[in-house]
Amino acid sequence: MYTFADDTTLVITADTESELQALAQSELGNLVEYFHKLDLVPNASKTVYTSFWPRGNEMTLKVGRKAIKQVAKTPLLGIVVKNDLKWGCTISKIVGKLQRVMRMFRYLRTITSERTMVRMYYAHAYPHLIYAIAVWGTPKQNITFVKAHKKIIRIITSNPPETHTAPIMKRLKILNLSNLYILRACLEAHPFIHADTCETHMGQTRTQPRLPQNKHNTQPQHTSISTESHPHSEHEQTFRQDKTSIASKLDDDQTCESMGLTATKH
């Protein structure tokens, strides 16, 4: 079961069609009962199901007394899930969002610098490019998607429509879509492939004690540690003042070492 805000998704698997239908209806009934205990009412008209295999398999599933309908595709958290597990609809949806970004960029490019446009790219276009790309992306991306990305790069740099974008991306340090997919897929897979290494590294980082750092500072700030410990001793205060005047005549390294030793003792 996957939940986000008021959306809930059930993923059911079984060995046979009959077992799949029985298990799906049972889990759906349990979910509806759980909602009722929380004083929530599921909307049967907005509840749908998709059968991935056998594709198009008709089942009778009900929320209460109302049967829910089967669909070939349905939106799920910003992407479109189809029963054939192809992502053309998701890519078309993202390209539509990028076209709105292009219109905004064409206006902004006339009033701002290229450096600011790159920042706007990472703020307004990049999130659409990377969202769930490890799920719907491939090393060889959809040609419409690639063209939309290249148009954005040309708009950022005010280049003509036929300008080759590879040198521009290299100069701006922007990844093309194939490399972006590889990067995001590796980031998703790395914790599972190197789980032991990641846990060991995190454990060492959290438990390793912090080592003291010497700060090269010839000003007598460290003397305040001693002053707070013994504010009533005039003899010790005079001694500290004499020590400070002597320390100021030494070179930086010697002063840091002597003052650091004093602070450690107190």
Side-chain angles (χ1 to χ4, degrees):
M1 183 175 70
Y2 302 91
T3 61
F4 180 81
D6 60 344
D7 292 333
T8 303
T9 302
L10 285 173
V11 180
I12 308 296
T13 60
D15 295 331
T16 64
E17 294 183 30
S18 58
E19 291 179 357
L20 180 64
Q21 179 169 349
L23 182 59
Q25 184 60 63
S26 174
E27 293 298 325
L28 185 59
N30 293 336
L31 184 62
V32 171
E33 183 180 355
Y34 174 73
F35 285 159
H36 288 163
K37 290 181 180 180
L38 298 177
D39 295 329
L40 299 174
V41 179
N43 191 336
S45 62
K46 293 184 178 180
T47 303
V48 297
Y49 77 92
T50 299
S51 178
F52 297 99
W53 188 263
R55 192 178 304 167
N57 179 36
E58 291 287 345
M59 294 188 295
T60 303
L61 300 177
K62 295 183 179 181
V63 173
R65 296 181 179 180
K66 186 173 182 179
I68 61 177
K69 62 180 181 179
Q70 182 183 26
V71 294
K73 61 181 181 180
T74 184
L76 175 64
L77 300 180
I79 63 176
V80 180
V81 180
K82 296 183 63 179
N83 59 358
D84 59 1
L85 295 180
K86 294 183 179 179
W87 305 101
C89 294
T90 298
I91 294 174
S92 298
K93 185 177 181 180
I94 297 174
V95 170
K97 294 178 181 179
L98 293 178
Q99 289 174 344
R100 293 192 291 270
V101 173
M102 290 179 208
R103 291 193 291 268
M104 178 181 65
F105 278 15
R106 287 190 181 98
Y107 171 75
L108 289 176
R109 189 64 186 93
T110 62
I111 60 175
T112 189
S113 64
E114 181 182 286
R115 182 179 179 182
T116 302
M117 289 301 300
V118 173
R119 294 178 178 176
M120 297 296 290
Y121 165 83
Y122 282 109
H124 295 278
Y126 189 75
H128 296 306
L129 299 176
I130 66 172
Y131 178 70
I133 191 174
V135 175
W136 55 261
T138 61
K140 187 177 181 180
Q141 297 293 347
N142 181 282
I143 186 64
T144 305
F145 193 34
V146 173
K147 287 182 177 180
H149 186 231
K150 289 182 176 181
K151 284 182 181 180
I152 292 177
I153 300 302
R154 295 187 185 106
I155 294 172
I156 290 175
T157 55
S158 298
N159 279 301
E162 300 300 326
T163 305
H164 189 40
T165 56
I168 302 175
M169 292 183 183
K170 184 176 180 180
R171 177 172 61 84
L172 298 179
K173 298 181 180 180
I174 293 176
L175 293 176
N176 61 33
L177 291 178
S178 296
N179 290 333
L180 189 60
Y181 163 75
I182 294 172
L183 171 64
R184 300 300 300 185
C186 290
L187 290 176
E188 293 289 343
H190 183 272
F192 300 96
I193 298 174
H194 304 282
D196 296 337
T197 304
C198 293
E199 291 178 359
T200 303
H201 173 70
M202 291 301 294
Q204 292 177 349
T205 304
R206 293 174 180 173
T207 58
Q208 185 175 7
R210 295 181 178 271
L211 298 177
Q213 298 180 355
N214 291 329
K215 296 183 179 181
H216 293 271
N217 188 352
T218 57
Q219 300 298 325
Q221 285 91 349
H222 290 286
T223 58
S224 62
I225 299 176
S226 301
T227 302
E228 294 179 358
S229 300
H230 304 282
H232 59 277
S233 175
E234 296 181 359
H235 295 289
E236 291 183 4
Q237 184 175 1
T238 302
F239 172 75
R240 285 193 300 273
Q241 292 175 352
D242 293 340
K243 182 181 65 174
T244 301
S245 63
I246 294 172
S248 62
K249 298 178 182 179
L250 301 176
D251 59 18
D252 291 346
D253 293 337
Q254 292 174 338
T255 301
C256 291
E257 291 174 1
S258 62
M259 298 302 288
L261 180 60
T262 304
T264 303
K265 287 182 179 180
H266 289 287

